[in-house]
């Protein structure tokens, strides 16, 4: 699935978690793509873990943060633990840190392991 500037990588299962990989920019035009990808990843995932790997994200605007928050709320409704994987020197981590969302979104330093 490709937004204008956002690549949503195919879902993969790693160590009991479903991993949603992202690359590119998450802004006002691509945030709906992110939210749809999270909702699709949550389908059929009751009681498990979803890792949103943002290691490849080069820009994260407030619209993208809102999409992450909406996805987290939906995950909680389904009983799914949703965490964000982001490298500390990456754009996504820095944006989430500035916004004070590191703890709110359960951001973990690093990227999800490869399959």
């Amino acid at each position: 699935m490709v937004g204008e500037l956002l690549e949503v990588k195919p879902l993969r299962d790693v160590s009991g978690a479903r991993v949603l990989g992202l690359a590119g920019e998450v802004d006002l035009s691509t945030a709906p793509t992110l939210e749809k990808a999270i909702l699709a990843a949550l389908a059929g995932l009751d009681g498990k873990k979803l890792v949103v790997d943002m290691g490849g994200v080069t820009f994260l605007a407030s619209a993208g943060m809102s999409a992450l928050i909406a996805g987290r709320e939906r995950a909680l409704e389904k009983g799914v633990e949703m965490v964000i994987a982001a490298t500390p020197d990456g754009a996504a981590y820095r944006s989430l840190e500035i916004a004070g969302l590191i703890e709110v979104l359960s951001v973990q330093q690093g990227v999800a392991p490869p399959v």
Side-chain angles (χ1 to χ4, degrees):
M1 189 182 313
V2 178
E4 291 177 341
L5 301 171
L6 178 66
E7 177 187 359
V8 178
K9 299 178 181 183
L11 292 172
R12 54 198 166 107
D13 292 316
V14 179
S15 303
R18 182 168 290 169
V19 179
L20 171 63
L22 304 167
E25 298 181 6
V26 185
D27 59 16
L28 186 60
S29 67
T30 60
T33 300
L34 170 59
E35 190 168 348
K36 287 177 190 173
I38 291 171
L39 295 178
L42 288 170
L45 194 61
D46 295 327
K48 295 185 181 178
K49 183 176 186 176
L50 173 64
V51 178
V52 179
D53 184 354
M54 301 193 75
V57 171
T58 56
F59 177 76
L60 179 62
S62 60
M65 293 180 218
S66 293
L68 291 171
I69 291 168
R72 178 161 174 76
E73 289 173 1
R74 181 67 180 124
L76 290 172
E77 290 171 4
K78 291 181 57 80
V80 173
E81 176 188 7
M82 181 176 130
V83 299
I84 309 298
T87 55
D89 58 346
Y93 189 94
R94 287 191 311 272
S95 294
L96 292 168
E97 185 175 41
I98 289 167
L101 294 174
I102 295 295
E103 290 80 26
V104 172
L105 290 173
S106 300
V107 178
Q108 299 178 351
Q109 294 185 12
V111 294
V115 176

